[in-house]
Amino acid sequence: MTRTADADFERFVVTQSTALLRFAEMLCGDRHTAEDLVQQALMRSYPKWHKLTGDPLRFVRRVLVNRFLSQARRHWNNEVPSDPVQNDWDQRAVADFAGAVQTRAAVLSALDGLTVRERAVVALRYSQDLSEAETAELLGMAAGTVKSTASRALAKLRLAPDLIDSGVGGNR
């Protein structure tokens, strides 16, 4: 790869890693698995970087979604997560921060109630703000399927106890 392509890839990684990680975590619901997914997507994208035309984020996002769907189909991840590491940092949490963390946890928990396909559609449509057509193309399905899948997923999320209890969702 050329130095220019290497520099472009490095710049892409620096500017997009956080957004890709958030997206991956929304897809899989686990920070560590999300980190692995992003790393795998970037590793698979790097050799093709110099040939890419168009939007590189779109390409990497597609690789990431394909890795997620592939792993979900194969149930490759038979690891059992250990208890989270307890930090002994200062517990002076700001109320807004604590509320945001609680909301985020409620959303991730509610997403666990969705099928892999529903979760991918919701993550692409509402987290990545893709259109129905873009989501359909990325997932290799019809736009109508994206629409109906999103509708079913949102109906499930509206009834998710974690969102209702936290005040995030539910019927208002």
Side-chain angles (χ1 to χ4, degrees):
M1 204 184 296
T2 66
R3 288 183 191 220
T4 305
D6 281 344
D8 287 346
F9 184 77
E10 186 175 332
R11 210 172 8 261
F12 175 83
V13 170
V14 168
T15 60
Q16 297 298 325
S17 289
T18 302
L20 287 168
L21 182 59
R22 283 190 193 121
F23 171 60
E25 189 172 0
M26 187 172 193
L27 274 177
C28 67
D30 173 58
R31 175 86 175 185
H32 301 291
T33 304
E35 290 170 352
D36 289 344
L37 279 171
V38 170
Q39 185 175 12
Q40 290 170 18
L42 291 171
M43 284 178 7
R44 287 176 175 258
S45 299
Y46 178 75
K48 298 173 177 118
W49 196 257
H50 66 285
K51 298 178 193 172
L52 288 181
T53 58
D55 183 11
L57 178 59
R58 181 182 172 118
F59 178 80
V60 174
R61 193 185 290 137
R62 182 174 188 130
V63 172
L64 195 148
V65 168
N66 287 342
R67 293 298 306 151
F68 167 71
L69 294 173
S70 176
Q71 291 171 4
R73 277 191 296 269
R74 284 188 267 135
H75 295 89
W76 74 280
N77 191 356
N78 294 326
E79 299 173 15
V80 177
S82 62
D83 291 332
V85 176
Q86 297 297 319
N87 292 321
D88 292 328
W89 60 29
D90 189 11
Q91 295 299 321
R92 291 176 284 149
V94 177
D96 289 343
F97 179 73
V101 169
Q102 183 179 13
T103 299
R104 184 169 177 266
V107 169
L108 289 174
S109 178
L111 287 171
D112 283 340
L114 302 179
T115 66
V116 172
R117 187 177 191 172
E118 290 169 340
R119 193 171 182 143
V121 167
V122 167
L124 288 167
R125 286 280 293 129
Y126 304 107
S127 168
Q128 297 297 294
D129 201 27
L130 296 183
S131 69
E132 288 170 357
E134 292 169 322
T135 302
E137 181 185 336
L138 196 93
L139 294 174
M141 59 176 66
T145 304
V146 168
K147 198 180 232 179
S148 63
T149 302
S151 177
R152 276 192 310 278
L154 292 176
K156 286 181 183 179
L157 291 174
R158 282 185 198 100
L159 299 174
D162 294 323
L163 294 181
I164 293 170
D165 292 344
S166 70
V168 175
N171 298 326
R172 290 187 181 199

